[in-house]
Every structure is written in structure tokens, then in C-alpha cells.
Amino acid sequence: NSHENIDLSEVGGKGYSLIRMSQAALAIPPGFVLTVEFFRDWISILKETPEWQKFISAPSEQMVNLIDNVKSKCQNLEMNEKQRKLLDEALGEYPEVKMYAVRSSSPEEDLEGASFAGGYETILGVKMPTMDEAIRQAFASCLDSRVFIYKKEKGFTIDDFRIAIVIMEQIDSEISGVGFSLNPLNNDYDQAILNANWGLGETVVAGMVNPDLYIVNKIDKKVD
């Protein structure tokens, strides 16, 4: 509910920004956030595994290599009755939606002095039969070795983990891209930048292609 008070520690950076945009009546796709609390049981299960115990007891220089063993255990996670009920109720609010984006939303991302962009997973083109697997994949990304390397470099604790997940409508677009309201290359506030490619946009954000580039002059409304 976009009118509720927002706790960044429960909805994560991406979820927090999207809720604030919804409160401001901006045009964003409909959706909801599975909070950090939603995944509390999964976190407890993983912390009871031998792989996690070996990870937290290892010397700091070995911890990053061992976290992949913990991440692999996420493949066996299943929704309990409470999680299933909450998820089904949330999805039931959008009976007309045919395809979703499942987006990780960490409480630690996009904080001042730190950016976890590229570390956590977003799964595009998700339909109902693959929803559970997409949620597991997004959840597991909080245990990715890239995330733990970055957390260690930035002084974050690496003996704990948490994540929220945004689930929102996605259109089956033929062309997708990324837009910047100012030019990030030269800090020109009079220019907007668009990178675009065929498909759902993953090739653009993952750097898999050299996308089409459009430079829009916001003053005279022309495309350079």
C-alpha cells in the first residue's frame, strides 16, 4: 500500500524509491514488495546449514570463496504456507497482468557512498509458472560473491544478509532501454540520454550489446 509509512530496511532501496514514486502519483507499473520479513524463514534455514556455519567461522580472506556454497542451497528453498498465502494474495490483486519483472531490492543498495548496481539480480519476462523460481533466483543474488566482495571493500558486515524483492508488471516490449534525465558522461543538465535495443532491455543494462544512443536536447526538444 503506497500510502503506508515506508521502512527502507524492510523494502530495500529499489522498493523504497518505487513506493515514493507511487506516492507522488508518478506513472510506474503496478506491483508490490516482498519485504525482508517475508524472507526471514529462508534466511533462518540457510543460517542453520553446515555451509553457512563453515562460512562464518572461516578466516576473512576465505569467506568470499565459501559464500557460493551457501548460495547453492537456495535452489532447495520452498515457500511455506504463510509465504504462499501472502504471495498468492498479492498476485491476486493483478489478475490482468500477464508478465512480471522480479527485481531484487537490498536495504544496503544505493546508500550514500555505496552502490550495489549489477550485484543483485533482476529477472525479466516472468510468468506465473516460473514465479517461484524467479523469486528464488533474485533472493539468492544477495549471497552472490560479487556482493560480498563489494560489501567487504565498503566496510559492510559480511556475516549477515537480507533482501526484499519487488514484483511489478512488465510489458512485452519489442524495444527497451535505459534513460538518463541528464547526460552522465559530461554532466550536461540540458541533455537527456537514451540507450535502447531490441527486446526486454536486459542486453542494455548487462552491457551485452552496443545499444542505439539518442541524445535529446531538452531545451529545443531535438534529438542529436
Side-chain angles (χ1 to χ4, degrees):
N1 188 325
S2 62
H3 299 293
E4 295 177 358
N5 293 327
I6 316 167
D7 184 351
L8 187 148
S9 67
E10 275 297 315
V11 301
K14 190 180 284 95
Y16 182 86
S17 296
L18 287 166
I19 293 170
R20 290 292 301 274
M21 292 168 69
S22 176
Q23 290 176 335
L26 297 177
I28 63 170
F32 55 93
V33 180
L34 300 178
T35 65
V36 170
E37 180 61 31
F38 181 91
F39 296 105
R40 194 72 64 190
D41 286 350
W42 281 11
I43 292 171
S44 296
I45 289 170
L46 291 172
K47 285 187 174 182
E48 291 174 358
T49 63
E51 288 80 3
W52 176 260
Q53 297 303 318
K54 186 175 181 180
F55 166 74
I56 60 172
S57 62
S60 59
E61 64 272 14
Q62 297 180 20
M63 295 181 82
V64 169
N65 294 327
L66 292 170
I67 195 61
D68 286 337
N69 296 330
V70 182
K71 182 181 179 182
S72 67
K73 305 301 290 185
C74 294
Q75 301 173 6
N76 302 322
L77 294 171
E78 297 290 345
M79 300 245 180
N80 60 34
E81 184 177 345
K82 180 180 178 181
Q83 288 172 312
R84 175 62 60 197
K85 181 175 184 293
L86 289 170
L87 177 62
D88 288 348
E89 288 176 352
L91 290 169
E93 295 291 321
Y94 308 99
E96 74 287 353
V97 175
K98 304 302 181 184
M99 188 166 67
Y100 295 89
V102 176
R103 313 177 66 188
S104 57
S105 180
S106 169
E108 297 166 332
E109 67 181 338
D110 299 330
L111 299 178
E112 185 175 355
S115 172
F116 286 80
Y120 298 104
E121 291 286 340
T122 286
I123 300 90
L124 303 177
V126 178
K127 299 182 180 180
M128 291 305 297
T130 58
M131 179 61 71
D132 281 15
E133 178 55 35
I135 292 173
R136 273 193 296 270
Q137 185 177 340
F139 172 84
S141 69
C142 75
L143 292 163
D144 193 280
S145 58
R146 295 171 299 170
V147 172
F148 275 74
I149 290 172
Y150 187 76
K151 288 172 72 172
K152 187 175 181 181
E153 289 176 349
K154 290 296 181 178
F156 289 94
T157 177
I158 60 173
D159 60 359
D160 197 10
F161 60 96
R162 54 194 177 135
I163 197 168
I165 291 177
V166 175
I167 299 178
M168 58 196 307
E169 180 182 12
Q170 181 181 359
I171 61 172
D172 190 7
S173 56
E174 295 182 359
I175 300 172
S176 303
V178 178
F180 300 90
S181 59
L182 60 84
N183 190 327
L185 298 178
N186 59 14
N187 207 36
D188 190 336
Y189 280 68
D190 293 334
Q191 293 179 334
I193 302 295
L194 301 173
N195 292 134
N197 191 41
W198 299 103
L200 298 179
E202 181 63 22
T203 56
V204 177
V205 298
M208 299 166 62
V209 297
N210 291 320
D212 293 332
L213 170 65
Y214 302 91
I215 302 176
V216 181
N217 188 306
K218 295 189 287 186
I219 306 300
D220 58 19
K221 313 299 184 185
K222 293 182 179 180
V223 178
D224 296 334

